[in-house]
Amino acid sequence: MKENSAKLDLTGTGHCGSFNFRRTARAVTRLYDAALQESGIRSTQFAILVGIAKTQPVAIGKLGEVLVVDATTLTRSLRLLKKEGLVAISNRSTMRQRFLTITPKGESTLARSLPAWRAAHERFVATIGTAYWGDLRNELERLAHVAVDLENPPKETSAPAPIHS
Amino acid sequence: MKENSAKLDLTGTGHCGSFNFRRTARAVTRLYDAALQESGIRSTQFAILVGIAKTQPVAIGKLGEVLVVDATTLTRSLRLLKKEGLVAISNRSTMRQRFLTITPKGESTLARSLPAWRAAHERFVATIGTAYWGDLRNELERLAHVAVDLENPPKETSAPAPIHS
DNA sequence: TATCTTAAGATGCATATACAAGTCAAGAGC
DNA sequence: GCTCTTGACTTGTATATGCATCTTAAGATA
């Protein structure tokens, strides 16, 4: 007898990488966002401001690579930060790039938010263990790049550059 | 002499849990979404359909707890899945709950998307290692709950319920 | 039973995310 | 110098995400 349209075989679906990373990201992001609430910025904006502060002046595309965020996403996010006066976006220059820098207001906002971020972060790390988080974080960073390279095979930087044109 | 408004001390900011989990989630999600593209659903919708299929009939709030997604997020996501005819949402019943079930069309969509999902998943797992992913996935699941409990201290199920009002 | 409280969900609002396609000028080739 | 290509960014469109707040009827209580 036909086993009633043979039920879906969902074996293994609970191991979906997308789902598992996203679920944890949602839960952890709430911790940081709750702590940052009074600072007026979210953890996502905090990450962008930090990224700019550390590498400025930096082109939009380059920052997108570093943060592993699509450039179109960054365009919208930067629009907000610019409107708030936290970052400055240069005009197109060499290579048609626009360079980002953090403004004094951006610096002070970042400075004001740092204590709240540190408090949330320390609570998080204290809960799961400092060494453990150090290792896991390294793995998360490595995996992000592994995933990026799976979609965008890196141009063979290892292959010897052609001497002759 | 004043060291020019003492540069921001960004030590440790690169270890932000929110940033690190989100960055990897973005990168990995792209892998699965690219593979699912032809199926007409995204990895996020795939996860919801799987969640419903595995636990139906399930109330919206309960599914939100299981997937660690805010109920308001689920409301919007379900609106789309319902409009596509992939899930059915009951009327309010006991406890004012609405129960979710997957429709035949939802089942066939899920069935059609499974091969693409498996292909993407196997490639991902093969790249990083099966056993490694098994361990890491368990940790991700555990951490999601740890983070949830940090924000929403679980009602002390161990403490004796007060006998007197 | 009439009210009162409360819990499950829905809405308003705002941000996050990215694919596909568009813009537009810098640099290449003639 | 004049096209032509290309690459960096932007826009159109759509989904994902969640806080604050609202709605509403179920279950509690007088």
Side-chain angles (χ1 to χ4, degrees), chain A residues 9 11-13 15 17-18 20 24 26 29 31-32 43 54 67-68 118 121 132-133 137 139-140, chain B residues 9 11 13 15 17-18 20 22 24 26 29 32 43 54 67-68 117-118 121 132-133 137 139-140 151:
Chain A
D9 178 14
T11 310
T13 47
H15 281 60
S18 175
N20 280 278
T24 307
R26 282 192 294 269
T29 293
L31 293 181
Y32 286 81
S43 60
K54 282 181 174 173
L67 302 183
V68 189
R118 285 196 199 288
H121 183 62
Y132 174 76
W133 173 238
R137 197 214 68 83
E139 286 306 281
L140 289 173
Chain B
D9 178 14
T11 309
T13 47
H15 281 60
S18 175
N20 280 277
R22 294 180 74 87
T24 308
R26 283 192 294 268
T29 293
Y32 286 81
S43 59
K54 282 181 173 173
L67 302 183
V68 189
W117 177 82
R118 284 196 199 287
H121 184 62
Y132 174 75
W133 174 238
R137 197 213 68 83
E139 286 306 281
L140 289 174
E151 275 303 276

Side-chain angles (χ1 to χ4, degrees), chain A residues 8-32 34 43-44 46-47 50 53-54 66-70 107 110-111 114 117-118 121 123-124 127-128 132-133 136-137 139-144 146-148 150-151, chain B residues 8-32 34 43-44 46-47 50 53-54 66-70 107 110-111 114 117-118 121 123-124 127-128 132-133 136-137 139-144 146-148 150-151:
Chain A
L8 283 170
D9 178 14
L10 299 177
T11 310
T13 47
H15 281 60
C16 177
S18 175
F19 169 62
N20 280 278
F21 282 115
R22 293 179 75 86
R23 176 176 53 177
T24 307
R26 282 192 294 269
V28 173
T29 293
R30 286 181 208 163
L31 293 181
Y32 286 81
S43 60
T44 44
F46 179 85
V50 167
K54 282 181 174 173
V66 171
L67 302 183
V68 189
V69 176
D70 192 274
E107 276 196 354
L110 199 44
L114 272 167
W117 176 83
R118 285 196 199 288
H121 183 62
R123 187 159 88 112
F124 173 66
T127 303
I128 68 173
Y132 174 76
W133 173 238
L136 176 53
R137 197 214 68 83
E139 286 306 281
L140 289 173
E141 175 164 21
R142 183 177 73 82
L143 286 177
V146 166
V148 166
L150 267 180
E151 276 301 277
Chain B
L8 285 170
D9 178 14
L10 299 177
T11 309
T13 47
H15 281 60
C16 177
S18 175
F19 168 63
N20 280 277
F21 282 114
R22 294 180 74 87
R23 176 176 53 178
T24 308
R26 283 192 294 268
V28 173
T29 293
R30 285 182 206 161
L31 294 180
Y32 286 81
S43 59
T44 43
F46 179 85
V50 167
K54 282 181 173 173
V66 171
L67 302 183
V68 189
V69 176
D70 190 276
E107 276 195 356
L110 200 44
L114 272 168
W117 177 82
R118 284 196 199 287
H121 184 62
R123 187 158 87 112
F124 173 66
T127 303
I128 68 173
Y132 174 75
W133 174 238
L136 176 53
R137 197 213 68 83
E139 286 306 281
L140 289 174
E141 176 165 19
R142 183 177 73 82
L143 286 177
V146 166
V148 166
L150 265 181
E151 275 303 276

